Amino acid sequence: DSGEAHSSLATTRMPTRLEESLERDIDRIRQQLLEMSGLAEQALRDCVEALGGGKRQRAYAVILRDQLIDEKEKEIDRLCLEFLVRQQPVGIHLRLAYSAIKVNLELERVGDYAESIARQILRLGDLPEAPEPLRRRLVEMADIAIPMLHDAIQAFATQDAELARTAAVSEPAVDALLGKLVTELVDAVRESRIPPEMLMTLSTIGRRFERVADQARNMCMETLYMCTGEVAKHPGADTFRVLFVDERNACRSQMAEAIAQSLDQPRFVFSSAGLDPRAVDPRAMAFLKEKGHDVTHVAPKGIDQVPNLEYYNVIVGVAKEAQAAFPRSPRNLVYVDWSVDDPSLVEGSPEEVRAAYEATYDFLSRNVRDLVGAVLGVTID
């Protein structure tokens, strides 16, 4: 018996002080991330409750509590940096620290999205009550995005690669619901069931829930990197994204997007936005329709409503004011100035107005084709 006990003791290695210290630091980071995630989840759930109507206090609470999430983000950032300096980790521990910094940033953005949703909900209080089907669509998006966020942070905390893969699969469903929401909102405005101001407010809420799902998926990718050491590519990493920006997203940028979309290039994603979005110019829509473009679901949006803005490769300013929103472009982003006259401001005879639209359209067509051709290395007719 004493021999067996001696053998058991010999094969059991006690953790060193260094290992114990390392595990304590990791547990501290993990616990803080879980607490931060809990705050973000609660903020999103309060937003869903506030969407039910008559619960403005919940929306105000989300806005006021956002500071707590910001403070958590700073504390976790400090813990991670201290961990790197003190422990000088390698292997999975180094990947954990790197991924924790990234997940921390993603969670802070989720908190910002929750605050933005709350502010939009407060704006709804000054508008007629939104139709129940539109509210249900938003709740449907939230009911996918919030559990996805929960599973993503749990996968990171438990180093569960399989849970991360499972959670990431839900993101396209939220994207699809956003597309349905925008279509329903445009139809509702066209049929005078909701005022135009409500379109912007509800679409912003929908896009924020869609971004929550995007951030959750990013966390899943960080978990897979931490667990396996392999860098998971973001969907569409081989896709070239171009955003056209002007002041209102009412005429020029919409024309540029329509022209680009008509080229039917599978490697490209084109979108447009405005610094201060307003209702689209009806003359521009009639002109584009006459040119054979589909304008059925055209709706104005702001820069902050563009999904995955951080993944865009080129920002094209079709108004000189657009560059103010991108004063210092990141290294992976190219800003191109295509400033052109706004034909919607032209007054005169029908012939003069038509000539202004034709001139802007021709200018944008040439430049869009040249840009796409330069990326593909071919000439676009």
Side-chain angles (χ1 to χ4, degrees), residues 53-118:
K55 300 177 182 178
R56 292 167 62 88
Q57 286 185 349
R58 284 186 180 269
Y60 280 119
V62 170
I63 294 170
L64 295 173
R65 291 201 306 263
D66 183 60
Q67 185 177 0
L68 297 177
I69 297 177
D70 291 342
E71 290 301 319
K72 281 287 184 186
E73 188 265 340
K74 295 174 185 176
E75 175 61 17
I76 293 169
D77 198 46
R78 284 193 291 267
L79 289 173
C80 289
L81 292 176
E82 290 170 0
F83 175 75
L84 289 170
V85 172
R86 183 168 58 250
Q87 303 291 357
Q88 298 185 22
V90 296
I92 189 172
H93 294 127
L94 177 59
R95 296 200 301 271
L96 184 147
Y98 172 81
S99 296
I101 292 172
K102 300 289 288 294
V103 168
N104 185 36
L105 179 59
E106 306 287 1
L107 281 174
E108 191 273 334
R109 288 174 178 169
V110 169
D112 289 344
Y113 297 146
E115 181 193 16
S116 175
I117 292 170

Side-chain angles (χ1 to χ4, degrees), residues 33-185:
L33 282 171
L34 286 170
E35 291 178 11
M36 184 179 180
S37 176
L39 291 172
E41 279 187 56
Q42 187 58 53
L44 291 169
R45 295 189 187 281
D46 284 346
C47 286
V48 174
E49 285 291 319
L51 270 173
K55 300 177 182 178
R56 292 167 62 88
Q57 286 185 349
R58 284 186 180 269
Y60 280 119
V62 170
I63 294 170
L64 295 173
R65 291 201 306 263
D66 183 60
Q67 185 177 0
L68 297 177
I69 297 177
D70 291 342
E71 290 301 319
K72 281 287 184 186
E73 188 265 340
K74 295 174 185 176
E75 175 61 17
I76 293 169
D77 198 46
R78 284 193 291 267
L79 289 173
C80 289
L81 292 176
E82 290 170 0
F83 175 75
L84 289 170
V85 172
R86 183 168 58 250
Q87 303 291 357
Q88 298 185 22
V90 296
I92 189 172
H93 294 127
L94 177 59
R95 296 200 301 271
L96 184 147
Y98 172 81
S99 296
I101 292 172
K102 300 289 288 294
V103 168
N104 185 36
L105 179 59
E106 306 287 1
L107 281 174
E108 191 273 334
R109 288 174 178 169
V110 169
D112 289 344
Y113 297 146
E115 181 193 16
S116 175
I117 292 170
R119 292 185 184 280
Q120 296 299 324
I121 290 172
L122 292 176
R123 291 182 184 178
L124 284 175
D126 300 324
L127 298 171
E129 187 173 353
E132 184 60 26
L134 295 177
R135 290 179 182 268
R136 283 202 304 267
R137 183 70 73 195
L138 290 169
V139 173
E140 190 178 0
M141 295 179 67
D143 285 346
I144 298 175
I146 297 174
M148 185 180 172
L149 173 66
H150 178 84
D151 288 348
I153 199 66
Q154 288 297 319
F156 181 85
T158 59
Q159 299 183 24
D160 189 338
E162 191 56 39
L163 179 58
R165 291 190 183 94
T166 301
V169 171
S170 300
E171 189 222 6
V174 184
D175 293 342
L177 289 173
L178 176 62
K180 291 180 181 179
L181 173 68
V182 172
T183 298
E184 291 163 354
L185 286 170

Side-chain angles (χ1 to χ4, degrees), residues 69-308:
I69 297 177
D70 291 342
E71 290 301 319
K72 281 287 184 186
E73 188 265 340
K74 295 174 185 176
E75 175 61 17
I76 293 169
D77 198 46
R78 284 193 291 267
L79 289 173
C80 289
L81 292 176
E82 290 170 0
F83 175 75
L84 289 170
V85 172
R86 183 168 58 250
Q87 303 291 357
Q88 298 185 22
V90 296
I92 189 172
H93 294 127
L94 177 59
R95 296 200 301 271
L96 184 147
Y98 172 81
S99 296
I101 292 172
K102 300 289 288 294
V103 168
N104 185 36
L105 179 59
E106 306 287 1
L107 281 174
E108 191 273 334
R109 288 174 178 169
V110 169
D112 289 344
Y113 297 146
E115 181 193 16
S116 175
I117 292 170
R119 292 185 184 280
Q120 296 299 324
I121 290 172
L122 292 176
R123 291 182 184 178
L124 284 175
D126 300 324
L127 298 171
E129 187 173 353
E132 184 60 26
L134 295 177
R135 290 179 182 268
R136 283 202 304 267
R137 183 70 73 195
L138 290 169
V139 173
E140 190 178 0
M141 295 179 67
D143 285 346
I144 298 175
I146 297 174
M148 185 180 172
L149 173 66
H150 178 84
D151 288 348
I153 199 66
Q154 288 297 319
F156 181 85
T158 59
Q159 299 183 24
D160 189 338
E162 191 56 39
L163 179 58
R165 291 190 183 94
T166 301
V169 171
S170 300
E171 189 222 6
V174 184
D175 293 342
L177 289 173
L178 176 62
K180 291 180 181 179
L181 173 68
V182 172
T183 298
E184 291 163 354
L185 286 170
V186 172
D187 290 343
V189 171
R190 185 179 292 110
E191 297 166 6
S192 300
R193 288 186 283 117
I194 63 172
E197 297 85 356
M198 187 174 289
L199 182 151
M200 295 301 301
T201 301
L202 293 180
S203 65
T204 297
I205 294 173
R207 293 180 193 282
R208 293 296 179 269
F209 279 126
E210 185 265 345
R211 291 298 293 137
V212 170
D214 283 344
Q215 303 306 117
R217 187 195 179 281
N218 290 345
M219 295 179 206
C220 292
M221 296 303 101
E222 291 301 331
T223 296
L224 291 175
Y225 167 71
M226 175 183 64
C227 294
T228 67
E230 297 178 3
V231 178
K233 294 176 69 176
H234 190 280
D238 296 326
T239 300
F240 199 86
R241 289 174 166 79
V242 181
L243 178 67
F244 303 102
V245 180
D246 60 9
E247 292 177 281
R248 308 289 187 235
N249 195 214
C251 181
R252 290 166 291 180
S253 58
Q254 294 284 4
M255 291 176 70
E257 181 183 357
I259 293 166
Q261 297 286 14
S262 70
L263 298 181
D264 195 24
Q265 291 292 331
R267 278 192 56 198
F268 285 77
V269 170
F270 298 105
S271 189
S272 64
L275 303 180
D276 182 20
R278 302 290 174 86
V280 294
D281 170 33
R283 293 191 303 187
M285 295 304 101
F287 178 85
L288 288 172
K289 187 175 182 180
E290 183 183 328
K291 290 287 187 180
H293 298 284
D294 182 8
V295 297
T296 307
H297 302 304
V298 169
K301 59 179 175 292
I303 294 171
D304 62 344
Q305 296 173 291
V306 179
N308 298 316

